[in-house]
């Protein structure tokens, strides 16, 4: 850079992932300062007028969006920034909104010929009355991230009624068949798939799957990269991650999460779960880890995302 750019890092926010976003934002701000940017930090609280006022006062050349979850990666903050004519990192309003809506994203993936699990949207009243799918199956909110509100209903479990009675994520949920096997993920920068990470929740810590604590607590999971997969399956995962990124219309970086069922005697089955349009940027986050494996340092990753936003 010939002239130092002014960057405002948006963090915190109002979602269930607020604490993780604060950590991501602090890490990003420090990395961008290291890279030579003039950085301001801004907690995107529920006071919209204050947010707009602070952005006008800080006059950033670009906003680094380190928000996670609802209002931060679902198109809401993106719409405000577009209204204010401020460039911002990651995906635009449409891609963010569609990716965050699991039912809408499923429709896009199906249209693009990508492999998804069998599933359907159900009302919470329906869930309270009967199993929407044969067990085992998964229940998840339509518009939360980081595995918030995700439950696996196994055969013989009486958990369904309790989940329905205490559901706080809106009137509907997504029910999908449970895919046994492994959890893998692929980061994408631009149109480039980085590598594949095999994620295993740490045994003995109560993680039935790669849940919120397994994602963000130190020692909650083990990451192996590149994942030890056969060449055909690995290539399929890399290609599917880029195809999903493009089908949604993502920009900057994204991360595609998959289940890989290699538990049977036949060919492994790869299933796309979701695409994260704003992957975590904490010390234990998967995208920075994959970028580092590819020789891209954390400050370089943050700088690349910032420059991508400026050059949209």
């Amino acid at each position: 850079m010939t002239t130092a750019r002014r960057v405002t890092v948006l963090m915190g926010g109002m979602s269930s992932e607020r604490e993780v976003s604060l950590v991501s934002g602090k890490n990003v701000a420090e990395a961008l300062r290291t890279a030579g940017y003039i950085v301001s930090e801004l907690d995107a609280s529920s006071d919209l007028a204050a947010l707009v006022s602070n952005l006008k006062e800080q006059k950033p050349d670009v906003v680094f969006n380190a928000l996670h979850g609802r209002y931060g990666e679902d198109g809401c903050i993106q719409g405000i920034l577009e209204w204010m004519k401020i460039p911002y990192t990651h995906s635009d309003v449409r891609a963010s909104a569609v990716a965050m809506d699991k039912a809408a994203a499923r429709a896009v993936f199906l249209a693009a010929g990508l492999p998804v699990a069998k599933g359907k949207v159900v009302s919470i009243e329906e869930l309270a009355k009967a199993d929407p799918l044969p067990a085992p199956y998964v229940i998840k909110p339509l518009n939360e991230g980081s595995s918030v509100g995700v439950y696996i209903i196994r055969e013989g479990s009486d958990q369904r009624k309790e989940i329905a009675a205490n559901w706080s994520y809106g009137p509907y949920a997504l029910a999908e068949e449970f895919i046994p096997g492994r959890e893998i993920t692929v980061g994408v920068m631009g149109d480039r798939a980085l590598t594949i990470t095999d994620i295993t929740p740490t045994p003995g810590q109560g993680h039935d799957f790669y849940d919120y604590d397994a994602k963000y607590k130190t020692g909650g999971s083990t990451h192996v990269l590149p994942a030890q997969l056969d060449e055909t399956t690995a290539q399929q995962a890399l290609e599917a991650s880029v195809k999903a990124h493009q089908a949604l219309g993502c920009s900057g970086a994204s991360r595609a999460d998959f289940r890989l069922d290699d538990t049977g005697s036949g060919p492994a089955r790869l299933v796309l779960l979701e695409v994260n349009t704003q992957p975590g940027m904490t010390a234990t986050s998967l995208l920075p880890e994959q970028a580092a494996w590819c020789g891209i340092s954390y400050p370089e990753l943050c700088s690349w995302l910032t420059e991508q936003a400026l050059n949209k």
Side-chain angles (χ1 to χ4, degrees):
M1 297 179 296
T2 55
T3 303
R5 304 279 197 179
R6 294 189 306 276
V7 184
T8 291
V9 180
L10 280 185
M11 64 183 82
M14 300 177 286
S15 81
S16 56
E17 300 171 70
R18 171 179 170 79
E19 295 306 317
V20 175
S21 173
L22 288 170
V23 176
S24 283
K26 293 291 184 182
N27 289 352
V28 168
E30 182 179 349
L32 289 176
R33 291 187 183 104
T34 300
Y37 293 87
I38 301 169
V39 180
S40 300
E41 301 172 24
L42 183 56
D43 189 341
S45 69
S46 59
D47 190 337
L48 181 57
L51 174 66
V52 171
S53 177
N54 286 326
L55 285 169
K56 287 180 177 179
E57 182 179 340
Q58 292 178 2
K59 297 180 180 178
D61 297 306
V62 59
V63 162
F64 193 108
N65 186 0
L67 295 168
H68 300 316
R70 297 179 68 185
Y71 310 113
E73 59 180 308
D74 60 0
C76 290
I77 198 70
Q78 290 82 357
I80 293 168
L81 294 170
E82 290 197 7
W83 173 67
M84 296 183 71
K85 295 182 170 56
I86 302 174
Y88 56 90
T89 61
H90 301 85
S91 295
D92 64 13
V93 174
R94 178 184 174 278
S96 300
V98 173
M100 193 69 177
D101 184 327
K102 291 181 175 63
R106 275 176 58 87
V108 170
F109 298 152
L110 284 167
L114 290 161
V116 300
K118 297 175 183 176
K120 61 182 180 179
V121 175
V122 296
S123 70
I124 301 307
E125 288 79 7
E126 291 176 285
L127 181 64
K129 292 176 182 176
D131 288 310
L133 296 172
Y137 61 91
V138 180
I139 290 292
K140 57 182 72 172
L142 292 179
N143 55 3
E144 293 284 349
S146 291
S147 300
V148 171
V150 175
Y151 299 91
I152 299 174
I153 310 298
R154 301 193 182 276
E155 192 171 356
S157 169
D158 58 357
Q159 196 179 11
R160 172 183 52 80
K161 290 182 180 179
E162 181 183 353
I163 291 170
N166 295 293
W167 189 259
S168 60
Y169 306 105
Y172 297 95
L174 178 63
E176 288 184 328
E177 62 173 319
F178 172 72
I179 309 297
R182 302 154 69 181
E183 184 115 9
I184 63 172
T185 191
V186 182
V188 174
M189 289 177 64
D191 291 330
R192 172 194 179 189
L194 296 175
T195 188
I196 306 169
T197 300
D198 193 336
I199 308 161
T200 304
T202 303
Q205 295 193 11
H207 305 300
D208 199 21
F209 61 101
Y210 190 47
D211 60 13
Y212 187 91
D213 286 346
K215 281 180 167 71
Y216 297 117
K217 286 191 175 180
T218 302
S221 61
T222 301
H223 302 168
V224 176
L225 69 162
Q228 302 303 301
L229 305 177
D230 66 85
E231 187 175 344
T232 299
T233 302
Q235 192 60 33
Q236 184 185 4
L238 294 170
E239 291 176 359
S241 65
V242 174
K243 191 173 182 180
H245 180 98
Q246 294 171 338
L248 289 169
C250 296
S251 54
S254 72
R255 199 192 74 238
D257 295 338
F258 300 88
R259 291 288 291 183
L260 179 63
D261 182 2
D262 56 358
T263 59
S265 57
R269 177 192 178 195
L270 184 71
V271 173
L272 176 62
L273 296 178
E274 64 180 351
V275 169
N276 301 275
T277 55
Q278 286 168 215
M281 296 291 285
T282 70
T284 59
S285 293
L286 294 153
L287 179 71
E289 190 176 50
Q290 290 193 355
W293 186 86
C294 293
I296 303 166
S297 71
Y298 187 80
E300 288 172 337
L301 172 61
C302 294
S303 297
W304 181 86
L305 285 164
T306 301
E307 294 303 314
Q308 286 289 306
L310 285 161
N311 295 325
K312 279 182 184 177

